[in-house]
Amino acid sequence: MAKKKTSKPIAKKKDVKIVNKVVNKSIKDKQANKQLKAKIKEDLKTKKATKKADLEKESAELEQKLKLEREKLEKKRLGAILSSAVARQYLIDLAGENTLAIIKNFATSTSDEELSKNLKLKISDVRATLNKLHSQGLVNYLRQKDSETGWFSYSWTLNSQKIEEWLNTKLKEKRATLDLNGENYFCSSCGLESLVSFEHASNCGFKCNKCEKDLEFLEEMTRLEELNGIKL
C-alpha cells in the first residue's frame, strides 16, 4: 500500500513577519555599522589633519622665533663690528662711501631696489657697493627670474661672520707690516689703519690723513695692544 505524501506546513503570516523583521534588522545593522565605520574613519582623518595643521603651526612659530633670534644675533655682531673705527674704514675703503649706510640698513633678505628706496641712493650706486662687498664674500645674493617679464631680481643677505673674518685677516696683515724697532705714529680715532712711520708723520705735520687729528706716538708692544683694543 503506497504511502501518502505529506505536505510541508505553510508558514504562518506571523512567522513570516518575524523573519522579515529579523532580516530587515540585520540589513539596518549592517548599514549602521558601515556608517559608523565611515564616521570613525572620517573622524580619524579630521583628527590627523588637525594634528598636522597644529604641528605645522607650531613649526612655523618656532621657525619665526629662531629667525628673530638670528636677526638679533646678527645685529649684535654687526654692531660690535661697526663700533670699530678701523673696521668702518676698511669697509669704506673696500666698497665706497655708501658702504656703512647700506650695511646698517640690511634686513634679513633685501633687494637692491629696497635699499635704494630706503636710503634715497641711485640704484646703480647701491649695486656697485653690493658687488664690491660680494667680491669678498661679505654679502650673498639669490637671483630669481620673473616668468612674465623675463627680468631677474636679486635678493641680498649680509654675512656678518664673513665680515668679521675678513676684517680680522686685514688687521693681521696690517700688524705683520709693523716695524716695532722704529718710531710709529697713529690716530686714536682711526685706529690701526692710520699707523704711519715717523717720516710719513713728519711729512703730514703729524696730522691724520683721514680726520686731520693729531697723531700719537706708538709706544712699543704695550701701546700696540691698546691700539689693537679697537678691534672686532
Side-chain angles (χ1 to χ4, degrees), residues 29-224:
D29 288 344
K30 286 181 180 179
Q31 290 175 340
N33 286 334
K34 188 175 180 181
Q35 290 174 351
L36 181 61
K37 287 180 180 179
K39 187 177 184 304
I40 292 172
K41 188 175 180 181
E42 187 63 30
D43 288 345
L44 287 173
K45 187 177 179 181
T46 302
K47 285 180 180 178
K48 284 182 180 179
T50 302
K51 188 176 181 180
K52 183 180 178 182
D54 290 341
L55 288 173
E56 288 176 349
K57 184 180 178 181
E58 288 177 8
S59 178
E61 289 175 351
L62 179 60
E63 182 60 33
Q64 182 63 24
K65 287 181 181 178
L66 290 173
K67 182 181 177 182
L68 291 173
E69 286 300 316
R70 285 194 296 268
E71 287 179 4
K72 286 180 182 178
L73 289 174
E74 283 290 297
K75 286 181 179 179
K76 187 176 180 179
R77 171 180 278 173
L78 189 60
I81 291 172
L82 297 181
S83 67
S84 164
V86 177
R88 293 195 298 271
Q89 192 57 54
Y90 270 127
L91 289 168
I92 291 171
D93 289 344
L94 169 66
E97 62 182 357
N98 297 318
T99 306
L100 300 182
I102 288 174
I103 288 176
K104 288 177 182 178
N105 280 273
F106 249 94
T108 305
S109 181
T110 308
S111 69
D112 42 18
E113 289 90 351
E114 288 173 330
L115 287 169
S116 174
K117 182 179 178 181
N118 293 338
L119 296 171
K120 294 180 173 56
L121 294 172
K122 291 181 180 179
I123 194 165
S124 57
D125 292 338
V126 171
R127 286 172 178 167
T129 298
L130 290 173
N131 287 332
K132 288 174 182 176
L133 292 171
H134 182 261
S135 69
Q136 298 298 320
L138 309 187
V139 295
N140 302 312
Y141 68 82
L142 178 66
R143 188 174 74 166
Q144 294 180 314
K145 186 177 182 180
D146 190 303
S147 58
E148 294 182 1
T149 64
W151 289 90
F152 286 101
S153 62
Y154 294 82
S155 179
W156 296 84
T157 54
L158 194 65
N159 191 336
S160 297
Q161 182 177 350
K162 183 65 177 178
I163 292 175
E164 190 173 8
E165 292 172 357
W166 179 79
L167 288 167
N168 278 325
T169 299
K170 299 293 286 184
L171 288 169
K172 287 178 182 178
E173 291 173 354
K174 181 66 178 179
R175 285 195 290 269
T177 66
L178 298 180
D179 179 11
L180 299 179
N181 295 321
E183 289 188 12
N184 296 291
Y185 290 79
F186 75 102
C187 172
S188 59
S189 295
C190 298
L192 186 60
E193 179 63 12
S194 65
L195 190 64
V196 293
S197 65
F198 170 79
E199 182 181 359
H200 185 89
S202 61
N203 289 336
C204 296
F206 294 92
K207 295 288 185 181
C208 176
N209 287 333
K210 294 183 177 9
C211 68
E212 297 187 350
K213 289 184 178 180
D214 292 336
L215 295 175
E216 299 177 23
F217 176 60
L218 179 64
E219 299 175 6
E220 300 181 356
M221 285 301 296
T222 303
R223 198 68 186 91
L224 178 59

Side-chain angles (χ1 to χ4, degrees), residues 21-33:
K21 188 175 181 180
V22 170
V23 171
N24 290 335
K25 186 176 185 304
S26 176
I27 293 171
K28 286 180 180 179
D29 288 344
K30 286 181 180 179
Q31 290 175 340
N33 286 334

